[in-house]
Amino acid sequence: GAVVSQHPSWVICKSGTSVKIECRSLDFQATTMFWYRQFPKQSLMLMATSNEGSKATYEQGVEKDKFLINHASLTLSTLTVTSAHPEDSSFYICSGQPLAGGVDTQYFGPGTRLTVL
Amino acid sequence: GENVEQHPSTLSVQEGDSAVIKCTYSDSASNYFPWYKQELGKGPQLIIDIRSNVGEKKDQRIAVTLNKTAKHFSLHITETQPEDSAVYFCAASLGKLIFGTGTRLQVFP
């Protein structure tokens, strides 16, 4: 149980274009979903926290107009990287926090590797 | 805010030996401490977690200990196998997870 999927698993785009990444909780409902970014050989850095039906909360230094987050339902959250640039190339990982169980438990998706040319 | 330090950054062990990874945290209010295993190109997988009202938790070959007074917690893997090779992250939570810097574990056959 507690499976999270992401789509696409990898994407290559041209500089200036926008890319949307989907995050789905397959077998549980997620009150909260989180988006992380991970650069090579580094740890996970939290970008934003989203609750279903409300605006996302962004971490300091993360541009909310560049990284658009929508949490439309208890099983789906999307991250759109707008006007992508090469420095946005990274591994983007989402996680879901179940309604039931431990309050802080997060289950992670497999990640999406974004390469901006 | 919370800060989590993790040591060592790399760890090499022989198959069958034990591996220990240690983390310290700064905010005494943190109350949830998960450990994740991340294989190359994949998302983190929760392997064990512990809450602040418990001192130790074990699941087969994996155990975690928590010392709230000293604000540190450790992951113990016994009878290591080559498939245990991965990057391991600790985290501390006060509602959101703050991750350690990771430990690359290599288990040699």
Side-chain angles (χ1 to χ4, degrees):
Chain A
V3 178
V4 176
S5 70
Q6 280 185 241
H7 179 80
S9 55
W10 60 269
V11 57
I12 301 173
C13 70
K14 292 182 178 180
S15 186
T17 61
S18 295
V19 174
K20 180 185 281 189
I21 302 170
E22 286 188 354
C23 175
R24 292 181 185 272
S25 55
L26 299 185
D27 54 1
F28 67 96
Q29 292 183 315
T31 49
T32 305
M33 286 183 164
F34 301 85
W35 286 94
Y36 296 82
R37 182 165 51 183
Q38 185 179 34
F39 292 107
K41 296 187 178 182
Q42 293 189 23
S43 189
L44 286 80
M45 297 300 296
L46 179 65
M47 298 175 66
T49 303
S50 74
N51 291 293
E52 184 258 342
S54 61
K55 289 183 178 180
T57 302
Y58 291 81
E59 294 299 302
Q60 192 172 10
V62 178
E63 301 174 58
K64 62 180 181 180
D65 294 331
K66 181 170 185 62
F67 299 99
L68 302 180
I69 292 172
N70 183 276
H71 194 156
S73 73
L74 287 173
T75 59
L76 173 64
S77 177
T78 60
L79 168 68
T80 301
V81 183
T82 63
S83 187
H85 291 285
E87 55 267 30
D88 298 324
S89 298
S90 188
F91 195 48
Y92 291 86
I93 312 171
C94 70
S95 72
Q97 199 168 76
L99 278 169
V103 172
D104 292 350
T105 304
Q106 291 184 32
Y107 298 96
F108 285 81
T112 296
R113 183 159 303 283
L114 170 64
T115 302
V116 184
L117 302 177
Chain B
E2 177 65 279
N3 182 53
V4 179
E5 295 187 358
Q6 182 171 347
H7 299 281
S9 57
T10 61
L11 180 58
S12 297
V13 300
Q14 203 74 31
E15 181 178 2
D17 288 349
S18 295
V20 180
I21 303 170
K22 298 181 179 181
C23 289
T24 60
Y25 59 100
S26 60
D27 194 329
S28 57
S30 289
N31 55 14
Y32 174 63
F33 307 91
W35 286 88
Y36 289 89
K37 174 184 180 183
Q38 187 177 30
E39 297 177 340
L40 190 63
K42 296 184 179 180
Q45 176 191 2
L46 178 67
I47 57 172
I48 197 167
D49 57 11
I50 193 167
R51 299 190 186 278
S52 58
N53 58 346
V54 176
E56 185 173 355
K57 184 176 178 181
K58 189 174 182 180
D59 183 3
Q60 300 182 339
R61 297 187 296 110
I62 295 173
V64 56
T65 59
L66 171 65
N67 183 326
K68 287 170 54 180
T69 304
K71 290 188 283 188
H72 66 69
F73 55 112
S74 301
L75 177 71
H76 304 252
I77 305 174
T78 59
E79 301 172 28
T80 54
Q81 300 165 3
E83 50 265 39
D84 293 330
S85 297
V87 179
Y88 291 80
F89 290 98
C90 65
S93 178
L94 259 180
K96 59 184 181 182
L97 294 178
I98 304 299
F99 283 85
T101 48
T103 296
R104 182 171 300 278
L105 173 64
Q106 289 184 302
V107 181
F108 292 98

PDB file of all heavy atoms in Angstrom, chain A residues 13-43:
ATOM      1  N   CYS A  13      12.981  19.475 -22.276  1.00  0.00           N
ATOM      2  CA  CYS A  13      12.269  20.584 -22.916  1.00  0.00           C
ATOM      3  C   CYS A  13      13.239  21.695 -23.286  1.00  0.00           C
ATOM      4  O   CYS A  13      14.384  21.722 -22.810  1.00  0.00           O
ATOM      5  CB  CYS A  13      11.177  21.116 -22.000  1.00  0.00           C
ATOM      6  SG  CYS A  13      11.790  21.989 -20.548  1.00  0.00           S
ATOM      7  N   LYS A  14      12.769  22.585 -24.122  1.00  0.00           N
ATOM      8  CA  LYS A  14      13.584  23.722 -24.540  1.00  0.00           C
ATOM      9  C   LYS A  14      13.419  24.862 -23.537  1.00  0.00           C
ATOM     10  O   LYS A  14      12.363  25.008 -22.905  1.00  0.00           O
ATOM     11  CB  LYS A  14      13.174  24.190 -25.929  1.00  0.00           C
ATOM     12  CG  LYS A  14      13.499  23.202 -27.043  1.00  0.00           C
ATOM     13  CD  LYS A  14      13.109  23.770 -28.390  1.00  0.00           C
ATOM     14  CE  LYS A  14      13.466  22.805 -29.519  1.00  0.00           C
ATOM     15  NZ  LYS A  14      13.090  23.346 -30.856  1.00  0.00           N
ATOM     16  N   SER A  15      14.446  25.655 -23.419  1.00  0.00           N
ATOM     17  CA  SER A  15      14.416  26.805 -22.526  1.00  0.00           C
ATOM     18  C   SER A  15      13.259  27.732 -22.915  1.00  0.00           C
ATOM     19  O   SER A  15      13.022  27.986 -24.097  1.00  0.00           O
ATOM     20  CB  SER A  15      15.747  27.551 -22.634  1.00  0.00           C
ATOM     21  OG  SER A  15      15.815  28.577 -21.687  1.00  0.00           O
ATOM     22  N   GLY A  16      12.509  28.185 -21.918  1.00  0.00           N
ATOM     23  CA  GLY A  16      11.397  29.083 -22.161  1.00  0.00           C
ATOM     24  C   GLY A  16      10.038  28.413 -22.220  1.00  0.00           C
ATOM     25  O   GLY A  16       9.006  29.091 -22.159  1.00  0.00           O
ATOM     26  N   THR A  17      10.032  27.111 -22.319  1.00  0.00           N
ATOM     27  CA  THR A  17       8.767  26.387 -22.356  1.00  0.00           C
ATOM     28  C   THR A  17       8.330  26.001 -20.947  1.00  0.00           C
ATOM     29  O   THR A  17       9.091  26.134 -19.983  1.00  0.00           O
ATOM     30  CB  THR A  17       8.864  25.131 -23.225  1.00  0.00           C
ATOM     31  OG1 THR A  17       9.866  24.255 -22.667  1.00  0.00           O
ATOM     32  CG2 THR A  17       9.259  25.488 -24.647  1.00  0.00           C
ATOM     33  N   SER A  18       7.083  25.531 -20.830  1.00  0.00           N
ATOM     34  CA  SER A  18       6.544  25.109 -19.535  1.00  0.00           C
ATOM     35  C   SER A  18       6.368  23.601 -19.504  1.00  0.00           C
ATOM     36  O   SER A  18       6.094  22.973 -20.526  1.00  0.00           O
ATOM     37  CB  SER A  18       5.199  25.789 -19.277  1.00  0.00           C
ATOM     38  OG  SER A  18       5.363  27.180 -19.160  1.00  0.00           O
ATOM     39  N   VAL A  19       6.535  23.046 -18.345  1.00  0.00           N
ATOM     40  CA  VAL A  19       6.433  21.592 -18.166  1.00  0.00           C
ATOM     41  C   VAL A  19       5.530  21.295 -16.977  1.00  0.00           C
ATOM     42  O   VAL A  19       5.682  21.908 -15.917  1.00  0.00           O
ATOM     43  CB  VAL A  19       7.824  20.970 -17.907  1.00  0.00           C
ATOM     44  CG1 VAL A  19       7.711  19.498 -17.573  1.00  0.00           C
ATOM     45  CG2 VAL A  19       8.721  21.184 -19.118  1.00  0.00           C
ATOM     46  N   LYS A  20       4.608  20.351 -17.161  1.00  0.00           N
ATOM     47  CA  LYS A  20       3.723  19.958 -16.057  1.00  0.00           C
ATOM     48  C   LYS A  20       4.055  18.555 -15.598  1.00  0.00           C
ATOM     49  O   LYS A  20       4.205  17.635 -16.404  1.00  0.00           O
ATOM     50  CB  LYS A  20       2.250  20.004 -16.504  1.00  0.00           C
ATOM     51  CG  LYS A  20       1.280  19.603 -15.393  1.00  0.00           C
ATOM     52  CD  LYS A  20      -0.163  19.532 -15.872  1.00  0.00           C
ATOM     53  CE  LYS A  20      -0.795  20.878 -15.972  1.00  0.00           C
ATOM     54  NZ  LYS A  20      -2.258  20.804 -16.226  1.00  0.00           N
ATOM     55  N   ILE A  21       4.148  18.390 -14.286  1.00  0.00           N
ATOM     56  CA  ILE A  21       4.423  17.090 -13.679  1.00  0.00           C
ATOM     57  C   ILE A  21       3.239  16.717 -12.803  1.00  0.00           C
ATOM     58  O   ILE A  21       2.779  17.518 -11.998  1.00  0.00           O
ATOM     59  CB  ILE A  21       5.706  17.139 -12.830  1.00  0.00           C
ATOM     60  CG1 ILE A  21       6.905  17.584 -13.687  1.00  0.00           C
ATOM     61  CG2 ILE A  21       5.981  15.780 -12.196  1.00  0.00           C
ATOM     62  CD1 ILE A  21       8.154  17.894 -12.866  1.00  0.00           C
ATOM     63  N   GLU A  22       2.757  15.485 -12.974  1.00  0.00           N
ATOM     64  CA  GLU A  22       1.620  15.017 -12.178  1.00  0.00           C
ATOM     65  C   GLU A  22       2.077  14.091 -11.060  1.00  0.00           C
ATOM     66  O   GLU A  22       2.984  13.279 -11.246  1.00  0.00           O
ATOM     67  CB  GLU A  22       0.631  14.246 -13.061  1.00  0.00           C
ATOM     68  CG  GLU A  22      -0.188  15.108 -13.984  1.00  0.00           C
ATOM     69  CD  GLU A  22      -1.283  14.311 -14.683  1.00  0.00           C
ATOM     70  OE1 GLU A  22      -1.318  13.073 -14.522  1.00  0.00           O
ATOM     71  OE2 GLU A  22      -2.091  14.937 -15.379  1.00  0.00           O
ATOM     72  N   CYS A  23       1.403  14.193  -9.940  1.00  0.00           N
ATOM     73  CA  CYS A  23       1.669  13.342  -8.787  1.00  0.00           C
ATOM     74  C   CYS A  23       0.344  12.765  -8.309  1.00  0.00           C
ATOM     75  O   CYS A  23      -0.587  13.526  -8.019  1.00  0.00           O
ATOM     76  CB  CYS A  23       2.319  14.169  -7.682  1.00  0.00           C
ATOM     77  SG  CYS A  23       2.590  13.290  -6.129  1.00  0.00           S
ATOM     78  N   ARG A  24       0.263  11.448  -8.254  1.00  0.00           N
ATOM     79  CA  ARG A  24      -0.986  10.796  -7.854  1.00  0.00           C
ATOM     80  C   ARG A  24      -0.744   9.809  -6.716  1.00  0.00           C
ATOM     81  O   ARG A  24       0.217   9.032  -6.754  1.00  0.00           O
ATOM     82  CB  ARG A  24      -1.601  10.031  -9.026  1.00  0.00           C
ATOM     83  CG  ARG A  24      -2.108  10.901 -10.145  1.00  0.00           C
ATOM     84  CD  ARG A  24      -2.736  10.070 -11.266  1.00  0.00           C
ATOM     85  NE  ARG A  24      -3.123  10.910 -12.399  1.00  0.00           N
ATOM     86  CZ  ARG A  24      -4.284  11.510 -12.508  1.00  0.00           C
ATOM     87  NH1 ARG A  24      -5.199  11.361 -11.565  1.00  0.00           N
ATOM     88  NH2 ARG A  24      -4.560  12.263 -13.564  1.00  0.00           N
ATOM     89  N   SER A  25      -1.626   9.846  -5.723  1.00  0.00           N
ATOM     90  CA  SER A  25      -1.624   8.802  -4.701  1.00  0.00           C
ATOM     91  C   SER A  25      -2.594   7.727  -5.191  1.00  0.00           C
ATOM     92  O   SER A  25      -3.763   8.014  -5.437  1.00  0.00           O
ATOM     93  CB  SER A  25      -2.037   9.364  -3.344  1.00  0.00           C
ATOM     94  OG  SER A  25      -3.286  10.014  -3.414  1.00  0.00           O
ATOM     95  N   LEU A  26      -2.088   6.519  -5.373  1.00  0.00           N
ATOM     96  CA  LEU A  26      -2.868   5.482  -6.054  1.00  0.00           C
ATOM     97  C   LEU A  26      -3.802   4.708  -5.126  1.00  0.00           C
ATOM     98  O   LEU A  26      -4.867   4.260  -5.550  1.00  0.00           O
ATOM     99  CB  LEU A  26      -1.929   4.514  -6.767  1.00  0.00           C
ATOM    100  CG  LEU A  26      -1.033   5.123  -7.849  1.00  0.00           C
ATOM    101  CD1 LEU A  26      -0.235   4.042  -8.564  1.00  0.00           C
ATOM    102  CD2 LEU A  26      -1.852   5.938  -8.842  1.00  0.00           C
ATOM    103  N   ASP A  27      -3.401   4.534  -3.869  1.00  0.00           N
ATOM    104  CA  ASP A  27      -4.200   3.689  -2.992  1.00  0.00           C
ATOM    105  C   ASP A  27      -4.501   4.343  -1.655  1.00  0.00           C
ATOM    106  O   ASP A  27      -4.850   3.658  -0.689  1.00  0.00           O
ATOM    107  CB  ASP A  27      -3.520   2.331  -2.785  1.00  0.00           C
ATOM    108  CG  ASP A  27      -2.086   2.478  -2.299  1.00  0.00           C
ATOM    109  OD1 ASP A  27      -1.633   3.625  -2.116  1.00  0.00           O
ATOM    110  OD2 ASP A  27      -1.423   1.440  -2.106  1.00  0.00           O
ATOM    111  N   PHE A  28      -4.370   5.653  -1.608  1.00  0.00           N
ATOM    112  CA  PHE A  28      -4.757   6.367  -0.397  1.00  0.00           C
ATOM    113  C   PHE A  28      -5.102   7.802  -0.768  1.00  0.00           C
ATOM    114  O   PHE A  28      -4.741   8.296  -1.841  1.00  0.00           O
ATOM    115  CB  PHE A  28      -3.643   6.334   0.656  1.00  0.00           C
ATOM    116  CG  PHE A  28      -2.388   7.111   0.284  1.00  0.00           C
ATOM    117  CD1 PHE A  28      -2.206   8.411   0.732  1.00  0.00           C
ATOM    118  CD2 PHE A  28      -1.406   6.530  -0.504  1.00  0.00           C
ATOM    119  CE1 PHE A  28      -1.057   9.124   0.392  1.00  0.00           C
ATOM    120  CE2 PHE A  28      -0.254   7.229  -0.843  1.00  0.00           C
ATOM    121  CZ  PHE A  28      -0.083   8.529  -0.388  1.00  0.00           C
ATOM    122  N   GLN A  29      -5.819   8.451   0.126  1.00  0.00           N
ATOM    123  CA  GLN A  29      -6.144   9.858  -0.066  1.00  0.00           C
ATOM    124  C   GLN A  29      -5.137  10.698   0.708  1.00  0.00           C
ATOM    125  O   GLN A  29      -4.840  10.417   1.872  1.00  0.00           O
ATOM    126  CB  GLN A  29      -7.573  10.145   0.410  1.00  0.00           C
ATOM    127  CG  GLN A  29      -8.628   9.488  -0.471  1.00  0.00           C
ATOM    128  CD  GLN A  29     -10.040   9.846  -0.025  1.00  0.00           C
ATOM    129  OE1 GLN A  29     -10.341   9.819   1.159  1.00  0.00           O
ATOM    130  NE2 GLN A  29     -10.889  10.190  -0.966  1.00  0.00           N
ATOM    131  N   ALA A  30      -4.634  11.723   0.039  1.00  0.00           N
ATOM    132  CA  ALA A  30      -3.591  12.547   0.629  1.00  0.00           C
ATOM    133  C   ALA A  30      -4.137  13.923   0.983  1.00  0.00           C
ATOM    134  O   ALA A  30      -4.498  14.693   0.103  1.00  0.00           O
ATOM    135  CB  ALA A  30      -2.415  12.682  -0.329  1.00  0.00           C
ATOM    136  N   THR A  31      -4.194  14.204   2.285  1.00  0.00           N
ATOM    137  CA  THR A  31      -4.622  15.537   2.685  1.00  0.00           C
ATOM    138  C   THR A  31      -3.611  16.572   2.228  1.00  0.00           C
ATOM    139  O   THR A  31      -3.961  17.679   1.840  1.00  0.00           O
ATOM    140  CB  THR A  31      -4.726  15.643   4.213  1.00  0.00           C
ATOM    141  OG1 THR A  31      -3.518  15.129   4.783  1.00  0.00           O
ATOM    142  CG2 THR A  31      -5.898  14.864   4.742  1.00  0.00           C
ATOM    143  N   THR A  32      -2.380  16.184   2.297  1.00  0.00           N
ATOM    144  CA  THR A  32      -1.301  17.098   1.963  1.00  0.00           C
ATOM    145  C   THR A  32      -0.330  16.409   1.011  1.00  0.00           C
ATOM    146  O   THR A  32      -0.037  15.218   1.168  1.00  0.00           O
ATOM    147  CB  THR A  32      -0.528  17.523   3.231  1.00  0.00           C
ATOM    148  OG1 THR A  32      -1.451  18.065   4.176  1.00  0.00           O
ATOM    149  CG2 THR A  32       0.524  18.570   2.906  1.00  0.00           C
ATOM    150  N   MET A  33       0.136  17.170   0.039  1.00  0.00           N
ATOM    151  CA  MET A  33       1.186  16.684  -0.851  1.00  0.00           C
ATOM    152  C   MET A  33       2.338  17.675  -0.828  1.00  0.00           C
ATOM    153  O   MET A  33       2.131  18.878  -0.643  1.00  0.00           O
ATOM    154  CB  MET A  33       0.665  16.489  -2.278  1.00  0.00           C
ATOM    155  CG  MET A  33      -0.224  15.254  -2.413  1.00  0.00           C
ATOM    156  SD  MET A  33      -0.753  14.990  -4.106  1.00  0.00           S
ATOM    157  CE  MET A  33      -1.329  13.300  -4.045  1.00  0.00           C
ATOM    158  N   PHE A  34       3.521  17.147  -0.974  1.00  0.00           N
ATOM    159  CA  PHE A  34       4.727  17.962  -0.913  1.00  0.00           C
ATOM    160  C   PHE A  34       5.504  17.808  -2.222  1.00  0.00           C
ATOM    161  O   PHE A  34       5.502  16.749  -2.835  1.00  0.00           O
ATOM    162  CB  PHE A  34       5.626  17.509   0.239  1.00  0.00           C
ATOM    163  CG  PHE A  34       4.979  17.574   1.597  1.00  0.00           C
ATOM    164  CD1 PHE A  34       4.191  16.531   2.057  1.00  0.00           C
ATOM    165  CD2 PHE A  34       5.178  18.674   2.418  1.00  0.00           C
ATOM    166  CE1 PHE A  34       3.603  16.580   3.313  1.00  0.00           C
ATOM    167  CE2 PHE A  34       4.601  18.726   3.676  1.00  0.00           C
ATOM    168  CZ  PHE A  34       3.807  17.681   4.125  1.00  0.00           C
ATOM    169  N   TRP A  35       6.179  18.882  -2.583  1.00  0.00           N
ATOM    170  CA  TRP A  35       7.056  18.841  -3.759  1.00  0.00           C
ATOM    171  C   TRP A  35       8.482  19.162  -3.326  1.00  0.00           C
ATOM    172  O   TRP A  35       8.727  20.145  -2.615  1.00  0.00           O
ATOM    173  CB  TRP A  35       6.596  19.832  -4.824  1.00  0.00           C
ATOM    174  CG  TRP A  35       5.354  19.366  -5.533  1.00  0.00           C
ATOM    175  CD1 TRP A  35       4.067  19.679  -5.230  1.00  0.00           C
ATOM    176  CD2 TRP A  35       5.299  18.485  -6.650  1.00  0.00           C
ATOM    177  NE1 TRP A  35       3.207  19.047  -6.089  1.00  0.00           N
ATOM    178  CE2 TRP A  35       3.936  18.299  -6.975  1.00  0.00           C
ATOM    179  CE3 TRP A  35       6.266  17.821  -7.412  1.00  0.00           C
ATOM    180  CZ2 TRP A  35       3.517  17.496  -8.034  1.00  0.00           C
ATOM    181  CZ3 TRP A  35       5.852  17.021  -8.465  1.00  0.00           C
ATOM    182  CH2 TRP A  35       4.490  16.865  -8.769  1.00  0.00           C
ATOM    183  N   TYR A  36       9.402  18.294  -3.768  1.00  0.00           N
ATOM    184  CA  TYR A  36      10.811  18.439  -3.436  1.00  0.00           C
ATOM    185  C   TYR A  36      11.628  18.532  -4.724  1.00  0.00           C
ATOM    186  O   TYR A  36      11.228  18.073  -5.780  1.00  0.00           O
ATOM    187  CB  TYR A  36      11.316  17.224  -2.643  1.00  0.00           C
ATOM    188  CG  TYR A  36      10.686  17.024  -1.284  1.00  0.00           C
ATOM    189  CD1 TYR A  36       9.444  16.402  -1.152  1.00  0.00           C
ATOM    190  CD2 TYR A  36      11.346  17.429  -0.131  1.00  0.00           C
ATOM    191  CE1 TYR A  36       8.876  16.208   0.098  1.00  0.00           C
ATOM    192  CE2 TYR A  36      10.786  17.227   1.126  1.00  0.00           C
ATOM    193  CZ  TYR A  36       9.557  16.611   1.221  1.00  0.00           C
ATOM    194  OH  TYR A  36       9.002  16.414   2.461  1.00  0.00           O
ATOM    195  N   ARG A  37      12.808  19.092  -4.573  1.00  0.00           N
ATOM    196  CA  ARG A  37      13.757  19.136  -5.675  1.00  0.00           C
ATOM    197  C   ARG A  37      15.062  18.550  -5.158  1.00  0.00           C
ATOM    198  O   ARG A  37      15.462  18.808  -4.004  1.00  0.00           O
ATOM    199  CB  ARG A  37      13.964  20.576  -6.138  1.00  0.00           C
ATOM    200  CG  ARG A  37      14.905  20.756  -7.320  1.00  0.00           C
ATOM    201  CD  ARG A  37      14.768  22.143  -7.922  1.00  0.00           C
ATOM    202  NE  ARG A  37      14.862  23.201  -6.941  1.00  0.00           N
ATOM    203  CZ  ARG A  37      14.722  24.487  -7.231  1.00  0.00           C
ATOM    204  NH1 ARG A  37      14.485  24.867  -8.477  1.00  0.00           N
ATOM    205  NH2 ARG A  37      14.818  25.397  -6.290  1.00  0.00           N
ATOM    206  N   GLN A  38      15.706  17.757  -5.997  1.00  0.00           N
ATOM    207  CA  GLN A  38      16.956  17.128  -5.594  1.00  0.00           C
ATOM    208  C   GLN A  38      17.978  17.274  -6.709  1.00  0.00           C
ATOM    209  O   GLN A  38      17.775  16.755  -7.818  1.00  0.00           O
ATOM    210  CB  GLN A  38      16.728  15.644  -5.267  1.00  0.00           C
ATOM    211  CG  GLN A  38      17.960  14.946  -4.715  1.00  0.00           C
ATOM    212  CD  GLN A  38      17.685  13.485  -4.379  1.00  0.00           C
ATOM    213  OE1 GLN A  38      16.898  12.817  -5.044  1.00  0.00           O
ATOM    214  NE2 GLN A  38      18.316  12.995  -3.337  1.00  0.00           N
ATOM    215  N   PHE A  39      19.075  17.951  -6.417  1.00  0.00           N
ATOM    216  CA  PHE A  39      20.164  18.067  -7.372  1.00  0.00           C
ATOM    217  C   PHE A  39      21.103  16.880  -7.185  1.00  0.00           C
ATOM    218  O   PHE A  39      21.096  16.242  -6.117  1.00  0.00           O
ATOM    219  CB  PHE A  39      20.885  19.405  -7.192  1.00  0.00           C
ATOM    220  CG  PHE A  39      20.033  20.584  -7.594  1.00  0.00           C
ATOM    221  CD1 PHE A  39      19.484  21.427  -6.637  1.00  0.00           C
ATOM    222  CD2 PHE A  39      19.769  20.844  -8.921  1.00  0.00           C
ATOM    223  CE1 PHE A  39      18.690  22.503  -7.004  1.00  0.00           C
ATOM    224  CE2 PHE A  39      18.968  21.915  -9.300  1.00  0.00           C
ATOM    225  CZ  PHE A  39      18.428  22.739  -8.331  1.00  0.00           C
ATOM    226  N   PRO A  40      21.898  16.573  -8.219  1.00  0.00           N
ATOM    227  CA  PRO A  40      22.754  15.375  -8.156  1.00  0.00           C
ATOM    228  C   PRO A  40      23.602  15.319  -6.892  1.00  0.00           C
ATOM    229  O   PRO A  40      24.224  16.304  -6.500  1.00  0.00           O
ATOM    230  CB  PRO A  40      23.626  15.516  -9.409  1.00  0.00           C
ATOM    231  CG  PRO A  40      22.780  16.288 -10.357  1.00  0.00           C
ATOM    232  CD  PRO A  40      22.018  17.268  -9.507  1.00  0.00           C
ATOM    233  N   LYS A  41      23.584  14.167  -6.260  1.00  0.00           N
ATOM    234  CA  LYS A  41      24.370  13.869  -5.070  1.00  0.00           C
ATOM    235  C   LYS A  41      24.050  14.806  -3.901  1.00  0.00           C
ATOM    236  O   LYS A  41      24.897  15.023  -3.030  1.00  0.00           O
ATOM    237  CB  LYS A  41      25.870  13.908  -5.391  1.00  0.00           C
ATOM    238  CG  LYS A  41      26.279  12.827  -6.390  1.00  0.00           C
ATOM    239  CD  LYS A  41      27.772  12.764  -6.561  1.00  0.00           C
ATOM    240  CE  LYS A  41      28.139  11.636  -7.520  1.00  0.00           C
ATOM    241  NZ  LYS A  41      29.607  11.500  -7.692  1.00  0.00           N
ATOM    242  N   GLN A  42      22.850  15.358  -3.903  1.00  0.00           N
ATOM    243  CA  GLN A  42      22.441  16.206  -2.798  1.00  0.00           C
ATOM    244  C   GLN A  42      21.175  15.663  -2.150  1.00  0.00           C
ATOM    245  O   GLN A  42      20.575  14.706  -2.633  1.00  0.00           O
ATOM    246  CB  GLN A  42      22.218  17.643  -3.284  1.00  0.00           C
ATOM    247  CG  GLN A  42      23.499  18.341  -3.727  1.00  0.00           C
ATOM    248  CD  GLN A  42      23.288  19.813  -3.990  1.00  0.00           C
ATOM    249  OE1 GLN A  42      22.354  20.431  -3.486  1.00  0.00           O
ATOM    250  NE2 GLN A  42      24.171  20.393  -4.785  1.00  0.00           N
ATOM    251  N   SER A  43      20.795  16.285  -1.071  1.00  0.00           N
ATOM    252  CA  SER A  43      19.611  15.854  -0.342  1.00  0.00           C
ATOM    253  C   SER A  43      18.350  16.433  -0.966  1.00  0.00           C
ATOM    254  O   SER A  43      18.415  17.212  -1.921  1.00  0.00           O
ATOM    255  CB  SER A  43      19.731  16.295   1.115  1.00  0.00           C
ATOM    256  OG  SER A  43      18.709  15.712   1.888  1.00  0.00           O
TER     257      SER A  43
END
